[in-house]
Amino acid sequence: MPIYSSLPVYAILLLLSWLFSSVPLCAFDNRLVAGKPLSPGSVLISQDGVFALGFFFPSNSTKNHHYVGIWYNGIPERTVVWVSNRAAPITTNLSSANLAVTSSSDIVLYDSDGHVLWTTNNNISIDKDAVASVEAVLDNTGNFILRSLADSAILWQSFDHPTDTLVPGMNLRLSHNTLPLQHLVSWKGQHDPSPGEFSYGANPKSLLQCFIWNGSRPHLRSPVWTNYLNMDRFKKSAIYLALHYTGDEVYMSFGMPTGSFILLVRMEIDYSGKVNILSWDSNMLVWRALYVEPQHECNMYGYCGPYGYCDNTEIVPVCKCLDGFEPTDGKGWIAGSFSQGCRPKEVRRCTHGDGFLAFPGMKVPDKFLHVLSKSFDECTEECRSNCSCVAYAYSRMSNMDIDGDDTRCLVWMGDLIDMENNTQGGENLYVRTRILQGDMRKIKTLEIVLSVVSSFLVLICLGLIWIYAFRGWKLLL
Ligand SMILES: *[C@@H]1O[C@H](CO)[C@@H](O)[C@H](O)[C@H]1NC(C)=O
Ligand SMILES: *[C@@H]1O[C@H](CO)[C@@H](O)[C@H](O)[C@H]1NC(C)=O
Ligand SMILES: *[C@@H]1O[C@H](CO)[C@@H](O)[C@H](O)[C@H]1NC(C)=O
Ligand SMILES: *[C@@H]1O[C@H](CO)[C@@H](O)[C@H](O)[C@H]1NC(C)=O
Ligand SMILES: *[C@@H]1O[C@H](CO)[C@@H](O)[C@H](O)[C@H]1NC(C)=O
Ligand SMILES: *[C@@H]1O[C@H](CO)[C@@H](O)[C@H](O)[C@H]1NC(C)=O
């Protein structure tokens, strides 16, 4: 816990140093208007001086690859949060490349030969006279917004087209009736903004969990959400990561409450497939990781094989078999090859008298079926009555429901894959076994006690704002 406990002090230090280091930069323009394109060497700077937009090259070794992007203006180590033409760098003579607002209400990036390298693709035809009534503004949140001056309607904004980074105020669409889902897509390399192998977003089949993907394969999976977090509570905390559910859309937001002190934070998926939440330390002039995932290879998707789980309560996280299971390949397991996973110690025949063994503190497995509108007892019965059902888990989405259903009964009909164990967080996983009725009762009593304890914990956490924010991340990522 050393990182957590040092945070408040660290936050105050950051605040103070930020106040002294911020210089008003009103002299620069924050808007792009028709007839005055942006050329290499010039930049747009947001009114508060925090963000800059312009041409850049990612490293000295690739000086012939130029991009247009948004970065932090006051940070010496250039940190790019958005790139327009990530798949189409300017590789020819840079000097007459430019970024312009056009007569079709678009922002367009031209190379020196006048070829279009990137465009916002609005293609709204309006009168020639009306061109002057469109402008693109780099606002204080780092959002580049193209809008009509007549009615202020937003025609396009960079926040709707995330690259590899979320900054406060930006949302990630996890589910929508008509619009496509949004993903963060990593850079290809440390100095190569072109789209890389790794992406972060929701599972299109179930918005109950998020994934980091390596190509099309899962690389890391979030815990299944047990509770939609109450936004009103989170508004009080310094940094939050939360889910929002509107009629036809679910989105994730990452941010700080408006009016709070300024702190530069961002969430990115890096070229190596890690999701990081970083905060700028303006004393040491480095980005500090507040949160990194995966932390250990044991946390990677399916690392411990079927019926195996990563035990994070050990100093070095290690693969283990669930109670009643043993390594399928004993020698391989000892040699550190866990992909074969575990098998039952004895073959059991399913009977209707079967009970369930509760494993607490678990990140429950992937590939569940979400059975709608069930009470806890009905969920137990749903699994007990079907011999294909291996396990179940139950939760109520106390703060928000989906289409009027706040229950979350998950059942597993196949191998249990990608589990982890934690001391904090996690939930009960009930795995089919044969135990006596008396033991069942014990488990139920235990569960009631646990739920009382955890709501008590929530109350404590409301006071500990920073720590609460971290609990939120652990829950959601
Ligand atoms: C890149 O080149 C500039 C000058 O051309 C130099 O100041 C800078 O240190 C170089 N950066 C790296 C990472 O080598
Ligand atoms: C780039 O173009 C400008 C003007 O179009 C010209 O003056 C300059 O010599 C060119 N540079 C190179 C390296 O071709
Ligand atoms: C823009 O729309 C016009 C007609 O509405 C079409 O002719 C033109 O090809 C479109 N341009 C682009 C870049 O899509
Ligand atoms: C990503 O997947 C490729 C194969 O598709 C594999 O070679 C590579 O090791 C994976 N990367 C990581 C970090 O797991
Ligand atoms: C997970 O860890 C906790 C705390 O160490 C332990 O009580 C529990 O039995 C573990 N769960 C499993 C499935 O091993
Ligand atoms: C058990 O569940 C599976 C998968 O949902 C289903 O195909 C099967 O019909 C069920 N069996 C019974 C007896 O309900």
Side-chain angles (χ1 to χ4, degrees):
M1 301 286 287
I3 298 181
Y4 298 2
S5 51
S6 69
L7 264 171
V9 174
Y10 164 60
I12 292 162
L13 287 178
L14 268 174
L15 167 64
L16 292 178
S17 51
W18 175 261
L19 289 177
F20 289 115
S21 67
S22 69
V23 184
L25 284 156
C26 321
F28 284 88
D29 215 348
N30 69 342
R31 61 195 66 215
L32 190 66
V33 294
K36 285 169 82 181
L38 186 75
S39 302
S42 322
V43 285
L44 299 182
I45 291 177
S46 62
Q47 219 160 42
D48 64 3
V50 173
F51 290 98
L53 179 146
F55 291 78
F56 73 98
F57 55 94
S59 83
N60 285 353
S61 58
T62 53
K63 268 188 171 158
N64 57 344
H65 281 58
H66 284 82
Y67 300 85
V68 167
I70 297 172
W71 59 84
Y72 296 96
N73 182 46
I75 293 184
E77 170 194 344
R78 175 168 297 158
T79 309
V80 175
V81 294
W82 183 79
V83 183
S84 64
N85 58 321
R86 61 189 303 194
I90 305 160
T91 51
T92 56
N93 187 348
L94 181 69
S95 57
S96 25
N98 65 84
L99 186 75
V101 170
T102 69
S103 58
S104 54
S105 300
D106 274 307
I107 307 170
V108 178
L109 174 63
Y110 298 100
D111 71 6
S112 291
D113 302 325
H115 294 135
V116 173
L117 287 181
W118 171 84
T119 161
T120 51
N121 258 325
N122 294 322
N123 200 14
I124 305 163
S125 49
I126 42 174
D127 311 341
K128 275 215 178 76
D129 303 341
V131 174
S133 67
V134 184
E135 66 170 10
V137 178
L138 179 63
D139 84 354
N140 289 345
T141 59
N143 192 5
F144 192 37
I145 306 169
L146 179 70
R147 66 174 160 229
S148 131
L149 284 179
D151 56 1
S152 285
I154 294 177
L155 304 175
W156 178 92
Q157 54 184 336
S158 62
F159 271 18
D160 285 341
H161 302 270
T163 54
D164 68 332
T165 302
L166 286 184
V167 294
M170 218 166 157
N171 302 323
L172 198 66
R173 193 186 308 123
L174 303 181
S175 153
H176 196 281
N177 287 352
T178 50
L179 298 173
L181 307 191
Q182 290 173 329
H183 286 99
L184 298 181
V185 177
S186 71
W187 286 25
K188 196 164 237 162
Q190 198 173 0
H191 302 299
D192 182 357
S194 56
E197 283 306 301
F198 297 98
S199 59
Y200 173 86
N203 181 357
K205 290 187 198 125
S206 164
L207 57 94
L208 289 174
Q209 49 188 3
C210 272
F211 279 91
I212 300 174
W213 310 89
N214 175 358
S216 58
R217 294 206 308 225
H219 181 62
L220 185 97
R221 184 178 61 101
S222 73
V224 183
W225 294 327
T226 51
N227 252 313
Y228 283 91
L229 294 163
N230 185 334
M231 278 307 297
D232 291 337
R233 278 184 198 164
F234 262 76
K235 277 182 185 136
K236 292 183 197 142
S237 64
I239 300 171
Y240 62 81
L241 195 55
L243 281 190
H244 306 256
Y245 177 65
T246 65
D248 49 5
E249 178 174 26
V250 177
Y251 62 90
M252 188 180 103
S253 71
F254 167 61
M256 291 180 295
T258 46
S260 71
F261 59 84
I262 302 164
L263 175 70
L264 298 186
V265 288
R266 65 194 168 99
M267 171 176 163
E268 61 154 22
I269 177 157
D270 73 17
Y271 67 96
S272 71
K274 283 192 155 67
V275 165
N276 305 306
I277 293 179
L278 301 146
S279 164
W280 178 249
D281 179 340
S282 51
N283 292 312
M284 302 307 289
L285 302 182
V286 289
W287 285 100
R288 286 211 188 285
L290 303 177
Y291 178 91
V292 180
E293 197 78 75
Q295 292 178 351
H296 191 274
E297 58 181 1
C298 186
N299 305 131
M300 279 160 54
Y301 185 87
Y303 186 78
C304 299
Y307 301 101
Y309 69 97
C310 176
D311 188 347
N312 287 305
T313 67
E314 301 282 343
I315 293 164
V316 176
V318 63
C319 286
K320 289 185 179 167
C321 291
L322 287 180
D323 275 358
F325 291 79
E326 62 190 7
T328 307
D329 167 15
K331 277 191 191 140
W333 193 270
I334 291 164
S337 160
F338 305 108
S339 57
Q340 299 284 310
C342 310
R343 63 177 177 205
K345 281 183 182 155
E346 52 186 286
V347 179
R348 293 161 301 174
R349 234 171 294 131
C350 168
T351 70
H352 284 290
D354 278 1
F356 294 89
L357 192 58
F359 293 96
M362 298 295 284
K363 172 180 145 185
V364 300
D366 191 19
K367 299 187 194 295
F368 48 80
L369 293 175
H370 183 187
V371 188
L372 302 175
S373 298
K374 297 280 178 204
S375 67
F376 177 81
D377 288 342
E378 287 165 348
C379 188
T380 309
E381 204 44 43
E382 182 78 19
C383 191
R384 194 202 308 279
S385 64
N386 188 328
C387 283
S388 316
C389 183
V390 182
Y392 72 96
Y394 191 81
S395 171
R396 288 198 93 107
M397 318 278 226
S398 54
N399 294 316
M400 229 183 264
D401 54 46
I402 300 173
D403 298 332
D405 182 10
D406 70 348
T407 68
R408 203 218 58 184
C409 167
L410 306 179
V411 296
W412 283 267
M413 297 294 177
D415 287 349
L416 304 181
I417 184 100
D418 193 42
M419 295 177 280
E420 292 186 41
N421 188 18
N422 284 312
T423 39
Q424 273 190 313
E427 59 178 304
N428 282 353
L429 176 70
Y430 300 91
V431 180
R432 181 185 289 273
T433 180
R434 258 193 261 164
I435 52 171
L436 300 170
Q437 284 300 317
D439 290 345
M440 270 303 282
R441 219 167 288 131
K442 238 183 248 163
I443 288 169
K444 277 201 179 155
T445 320
L446 180 68
E447 181 171 65
I448 291 159
V449 172
L450 275 179
S451 65
V452 171
V453 168
S454 63
S455 46
F456 179 60
L457 276 179
V458 168
L459 285 177
I460 293 174
C461 290
L462 276 174
L464 302 171
I465 283 167
W466 277 93
I467 293 171
Y468 190 59
F470 277 91
R471 280 172 58 90
W473 291 340
K474 203 64 201 172
L475 256 168
L476 281 167
L477 269 168

